[in-house]
Amino acid sequence: MELPLSKLNEEQYAAATAELGHNLVIASAGTGKTSTIVGRIAYLLQNGIKPEQILLLTFTNKAANEMVERLSRFIPTAKEIEAGTFHAVSYRWLRKLNKNIVLKTPKDMKILFRSIYSKRDFNRILGEEKPYSANYLFELYSLFLNSNEKSLESFLEKKAPNQLEYVLVYESIFEEFEEVKKEHNLVDFDSLLIRMINKLKNGIDNPFVEVLVDEYQDTNPLQNEFIENVKKHLFCVGDYDQSIYAFNGADINIISTFDKRYKNSRVFTLKKNYRSYGEILAIANKVIANNPRIYPKSLEVTRGYSGEFPKVLIYNDTFEEYRDLANRIYTSTTPRDEIAVLFRNNSSADTIEAMLREKGIECKRKGGTSFFESREIKITLDILYFILNPKDIMSFVHIVEYAKGIGNSIATDLFEALMILGDGDVINGFLKPNLEKKVFVNKKTSYQLGLFDDFKELGSISRFKNLGFEDKFLENPILKHPKLSVEGAEFLYNFYLLLKRINILKNPHSIFNEVINSKVFEHITSNLAKERSRNKNGKIDMNLYEEKKEAIKRKVAILGNLLKNYSSLEKFINALVLGSSEMSEGKGVNLLTVHASKGLEFKEVYIVDLMEKRFPNIKLSKPAGGIEEERRLFYVAVTRAKDKLFFMLAKRDRIKNIEYEPSRFLIEAGYNINS
């Protein structure tokens, strides 16, 4: 049991064995913060605290799993520790309290949000400023919730005062969004934390003696409120010089005021860097010293010096820069997966990837389209989600939008009607509709809230009489929607037949097979294959069509194989929703934004486009942390390198026809650059 502690250096050991209370560990890049956290948990277990009394909060589930796995090699009971992201921990806890909640991804929630937004006719509201789009307003709402600001009006006054004229409309959209979520037992990542905080404030049983928080510098106000309400004793590990998520709501003041907010708190500093050669650390220390020093610290060299200072490589234009980057990597003796190319934002990535692939160099981009993001997999999962939870409005909308003539608005109307007809269950609305209920009634109007009267004259069901529908389906009032086309009605009928067949099935594999062999699924996959097989003239290449259709079938079959590992649909779906795409697939050179590189290390690192307006990019950082945040980004980029580091910049971008000056960070690092 002593082993995790016995490997720590003096600084790490002092932190890991601190008395219970409020402890903060400032862990600079490469100083062994994971070893310190693992050592701390070992110390707690050794001193009588039970595994189920320990809560470990991380910013990726992968980090949590790795720490628990590392610890359980020495202490098997460590697997009983509650560990994961703020959202994963909250979800598991809430599920124990209410099994009926359904977690949806941000992409799914955005579909629901857009359907609510689309009911407002902003064209008929005469505002001086253009209102935010649905997508932008959705992101703004998330920032508002995570800011912990008390009112939307005060939030807009700080962030977007020119949008205050729409505050009542925005509030009505947010309120309806929350009402729909509550009605259908849906939770998203933001509402998970809010619900959990409310439960804690209402005095639910809290078993945790100590809460450990990794990457503490990246916490936002809502996460901090969760910590405040769940903690008895606190052990936080972070580095204010690596706080780079201000754009996402992270508040550096949370870590910087720790010793002021908690009386008798203790602050420990880890300074010994085990990752990088001395020349690399010298640059990191020199540049970051231009930012305010919140707690005194400086990285100390343990690996010694390589004898080679990081090189600055200057090119006439970005094309030449990326070409030479590919040539250098081609001739490098460093294993490809130990090489990283870091950029401030993704605009550089496409050309770099093309240059590398041109030379036959394998590479992977973190954040690329994953298996689960492909449309055929997403729609398959949507059908399974809906079967599992007939109140799932987003999945229903995603499915029926594949029918010709059914868009977001009509799909939402149909869902609401089926909910009424099925007494709160859409599947019942299809199979056992209550014909006495009225549907498609006029909605409320309000000029002030952007809601206008769109009177519907109900359509006649007789227009679908000769389509071969079962009499029972022909009675269904959803067919009275005035904008429902023949193709739309046929799609709904095939969906009805699928639901009828699976209604008697329990086995998840049988349900899956019924889905993929249904007419509804055939219609959807055929549409996807057609989209992917059109030539330049818009005509369908039939040979390509058959190829694409087979490719879709193969991909969906992979999902079926994954399902074999689960005894129920619910367990399978929960695993997928909480499963993260934290690591990229594939192999080869790593192409990463600086944000995506956080927490990683590589033998050979190239930081590209080190020019003013590119890195630092004041335009991107101004709404968040400004030049200090950009400098922290540079610090994070530099400290990813273990052995070799190259700085690359170009004098101009020939495509955009822009001239560039060298990045101020290179000047701050001590390089004498004549542009």
Side-chain angles (χ1 to χ4, degrees):
M1 192 175 287
E2 283 285 338
L3 201 51
L5 285 166
S6 65
K7 290 187 172 183
L8 302 182
N9 67 28
E10 193 177 331
E11 291 172 347
Q12 294 166 338
Y13 186 85
T17 58
E19 292 178 17
L20 290 173
H22 294 91
N23 296 298
L24 173 63
V25 182
I26 302 298
S28 300
T31 57
K33 73 176 177 69
T34 301
S35 298
T36 306
I37 293 171
V38 169
R40 175 62 175 181
I41 297 172
Y43 174 77
L44 294 175
L45 294 171
Q46 184 180 325
N47 283 275
I49 294 178
K50 296 173 184 176
E52 59 269 25
Q53 294 177 315
I54 298 170
L55 173 60
L56 171 61
L57 295 169
T58 59
F59 275 78
T60 66
N61 289 309
K62 179 174 175 286
N65 293 336
E66 284 177 356
M67 285 189 231
V68 171
E69 179 62 33
R70 191 163 149 183
L71 192 58
S72 60
R73 290 178 209 152
F74 310 106
I75 310 169
T77 56
K79 288 184 176 177
E80 296 169 31
I81 290 166
E82 181 59 76
T85 63
F86 286 83
H87 300 115
V89 166
S90 296
Y91 181 62
R92 287 194 291 267
W93 205 345
L94 286 167
R95 286 280 297 171
K96 287 176 185 174
L97 299 168
N98 175 11
K99 274 193 74 67
N100 293 322
I101 65 164
V102 179
L103 176 62
K104 304 301 290 184
T105 65
K107 285 189 177 180
D108 286 332
M109 283 302 194
K110 194 177 279 186
I111 300 289
L112 171 61
F113 189 86
R114 282 205 301 261
S115 73
I116 293 166
Y117 179 98
S118 67
K119 296 177 189 176
R120 276 74 183 170
D121 189 348
F122 283 99
N123 292 325
R124 289 158 76 174
I125 302 174
L126 303 175
E128 290 184 16
E129 292 288 333
K130 190 177 178 183
Y132 285 146
S133 67
N135 287 349
Y136 192 88
L137 190 62
F138 178 80
E139 302 296 340
L140 187 82
Y141 184 47
S142 179
L143 280 176
F144 165 59
L145 292 176
N146 282 285
S147 73
N148 230 9
E149 194 74 49
K150 297 305 176 189
S151 76
L152 178 64
E153 189 170 358
S154 61
F155 177 78
L156 287 177
E157 278 174 359
K158 295 174 185 174
K159 298 287 184 182
N162 61 335
Q163 292 289 307
L164 280 168
E165 61 185 313
Y166 298 111
V167 68
L168 290 176
V169 186
Y170 292 164
E171 281 177 341
S172 76
I173 293 171
F174 299 160
E175 284 168 13
E176 186 176 344
F177 183 55
E178 293 301 331
E179 284 168 10
V180 173
K181 280 171 24 182
K182 188 176 180 181
E183 182 184 349
H184 304 298
N185 246 333
L186 304 175
V187 290
D188 54 16
F189 288 164
D190 293 325
S191 55
L192 274 177
L193 283 180
I194 292 168
R195 282 197 187 197
M196 199 64 249
I197 289 165
N198 289 334
K199 295 284 185 188
L200 287 163
K201 285 180 176 177
N202 289 330
I204 62 159
D205 184 42
N206 178 3
F208 303 117
V209 172
E210 176 155 295
V211 177
L212 297 93
V213 186
D214 187 22
E215 303 287 6
Y216 186 56
Q217 76 282 346
D218 292 331
T219 49
N220 63 41
L222 187 62
Q223 290 163 340
N224 189 53
E225 188 178 357
F226 174 81
I227 293 167
E228 287 291 324
N229 282 280
V230 77
K231 62 133 181 107
K232 290 186 179 75
H233 301 289
L234 198 53
F235 188 87
C236 300
V237 181
D239 179 9
Y240 55 88
D241 285 333
Q242 296 185 71
S243 177
I244 57 172
Y245 288 99
F247 73 92
N248 214 21
D251 186 353
I252 196 171
N253 290 313
I254 292 169
I255 189 171
S256 65
T257 60
F258 186 93
D259 57 344
K260 298 175 184 68
R261 288 184 291 117
Y262 301 120
K263 290 180 180 178
N264 303 317
S265 61
R266 289 173 288 270
V267 179
F268 300 87
T269 305
L270 308 183
K271 300 186 289 291
K272 291 181 171 59
N273 177 283
Y274 296 95
R275 179 184 296 158
S276 309
Y277 279 130
E279 292 89 348
I280 293 169
L281 296 184
I283 288 173
N285 281 332
K286 193 168 184 180
V287 173
I288 203 63
N290 290 280
N291 271 7
R293 304 290 75 207
I294 297 170
Y295 300 102
K297 74 180 180 78
S298 182
L299 288 171
E300 294 177 7
V301 180
T302 63
R303 286 190 65 200
Y305 293 79
S306 66
E308 188 177 354
F309 222 71
K311 289 186 175 67
V312 174
L313 307 170
I314 305 174
Y315 304 89
N316 288 317
D317 62 47
T318 50
F319 188 84
E320 188 183 306
E321 175 191 2
Y322 303 152
R323 175 74 69 196
D324 189 54
L325 169 68
N327 289 334
R328 285 174 178 272
I329 291 173
Y330 185 75
T331 57
S332 174
T333 57
T334 304
R336 296 278 159 84
D337 61 353
E338 283 282 1
I339 298 174
V341 180
L342 307 184
F343 30 84
R344 172 62 182 87
N345 56 359
N346 271 307
S347 61
S348 313
D350 290 337
T351 312
I352 293 170
E353 183 177 3
M355 295 279 191
L356 291 174
R357 294 196 185 279
E358 186 184 37
K359 295 194 75 69
I361 299 169
E362 286 186 295
C363 57
K364 55 186 176 182
R365 281 171 71 172
K366 190 170 180 181
T369 302
S370 75
F371 171 78
F372 293 103
E373 287 300 306
S374 62
R375 289 176 69 191
E376 54 267 42
I377 298 303
K378 287 187 74 167
I379 192 61
T380 310
L381 290 174
D382 277 323
I383 296 171
L384 296 177
Y385 290 156
F386 178 74
I387 292 165
L388 185 64
N389 175 28
K391 291 185 175 182
D392 188 341
I393 185 171
M394 281 88 72
S395 294
F396 179 86
V397 169
H398 290 170
I399 297 162
V400 300
E401 276 187 323
Y402 276 92
K404 189 175 180 181
I406 297 183
N408 192 291
S409 180
I410 295 174
T412 305
D413 288 344
L414 292 170
F415 179 86
E416 290 172 354
L418 287 161
M419 281 287 284
I420 293 167
L421 295 168
D423 295 317
D425 184 314
V426 172
I427 292 179
N428 280 341
F430 268 110
L431 305 180
K432 304 171 189 174
N434 184 340
L435 302 180
E436 294 180 4
K437 296 285 181 79
K438 288 186 177 181
V439 294
F440 307 130
V441 295
N442 289 341
K443 298 173 183 177
K444 69 176 181 179
T445 65
S446 168
Y447 176 85
Q448 200 175 27
L449 301 183
L451 295 164
F452 298 94
D453 183 8
D454 292 318
F455 177 75
K456 293 191 185 83
E457 191 172 314
L458 296 186
S460 170
I461 288 177
S462 61
R463 58 200 161 133
F464 307 126
K465 207 171 184 179
N466 299 321
L467 296 177
F469 296 167
E470 290 179 5
D471 290 341
K472 191 171 182 183
F473 183 72
L474 264 177
E475 293 175 351
N476 200 309
I478 59 167
L479 296 176
K480 292 181 180 179
H481 195 293
K483 294 180 182 176
L484 185 64
S485 64
V486 168
E487 293 90 344
E490 287 177 329
F491 185 94
L492 291 174
Y493 179 62
N494 287 327
F495 194 36
Y496 157 82
L497 293 176
L498 171 62
L499 295 174
K500 193 176 172 184
R501 285 193 298 274
I502 63 170
N503 203 39
I504 57 172
L505 300 175
K506 297 293 180 190
N507 183 288
H509 315 297
S510 302
I511 293 170
F512 179 80
N513 288 330
E514 279 290 349
V515 168
I516 64 172
N517 292 313
S518 67
K519 284 189 176 180
V520 163
F521 200 72
E522 164 66 24
H523 173 92
I524 291 169
T525 54
S526 178
N527 279 357
L528 291 174
K530 284 175 184 174
E531 282 180 29
R532 296 170 187 178
S533 55
R534 292 189 189 279
N535 57 29
K536 289 180 181 177
N537 298 321
K539 293 182 179 177
I540 296 169
D541 180 328
M542 290 310 296
N543 290 328
L544 189 57
Y545 169 75
E546 292 301 329
E547 281 180 32
K548 295 296 182 185
K549 207 163 181 190
E550 278 305 309
I552 289 169
K553 282 183 182 176
R554 286 196 299 272
K555 193 173 270 194
V556 172
I558 294 170
L559 193 65
N561 287 329
L562 288 175
L563 181 58
K564 287 176 183 174
N565 299 319
Y566 296 87
S567 59
S568 74
L569 259 186
E570 183 180 11
K571 288 179 181 175
F572 178 61
I573 295 302
N574 287 345
L576 291 187
V577 174
L578 281 172
S580 62
S581 56
E582 288 158 5
M583 284 302 295
S584 56
E585 294 180 30
K587 56 184 179 177
V589 175
N590 299 275
L591 306 183
L592 302 162
T593 63
V594 181
H595 286 100
S597 75
K598 182 100 178 298
L600 304 176
E601 59 183 34
F602 307 94
K603 286 185 176 178
E604 190 170 319
V605 172
Y606 297 84
I607 307 175
V608 301
D609 294 342
L610 277 163
M611 298 92 77
E612 289 291 308
K613 297 180 183 175
R614 295 286 281 266
F615 196 176
N617 190 322
I618 303 300
K619 188 178 178 182
L620 282 179
S621 68
K622 201 171 183 180
I627 191 61
E628 289 178 10
E629 179 106 348
E630 291 293 300
R631 194 172 284 113
R632 290 193 290 270
L633 271 172
F634 181 78
Y635 175 85
V636 166
V638 169
T639 53
R640 299 312 94 198
K642 293 158 74 175
D643 301 347
K644 296 179 181 177
L645 176 62
F646 299 90
F647 299 122
M648 305 182 79
L649 66 143
K651 294 177 181 177
R652 67 189 296 267
D653 185 326
R654 72 165 82 158
I655 295 171
K656 295 179 181 176
N657 196 25
I658 298 173
E659 304 284 333
Y660 290 112
E661 293 293 321
S663 169
R664 71 188 73 183
F665 300 144
L666 294 174
I667 313 301
E668 291 173 2
Y671 289 99
N672 184 14
I673 300 171
N674 296 315
S675 59

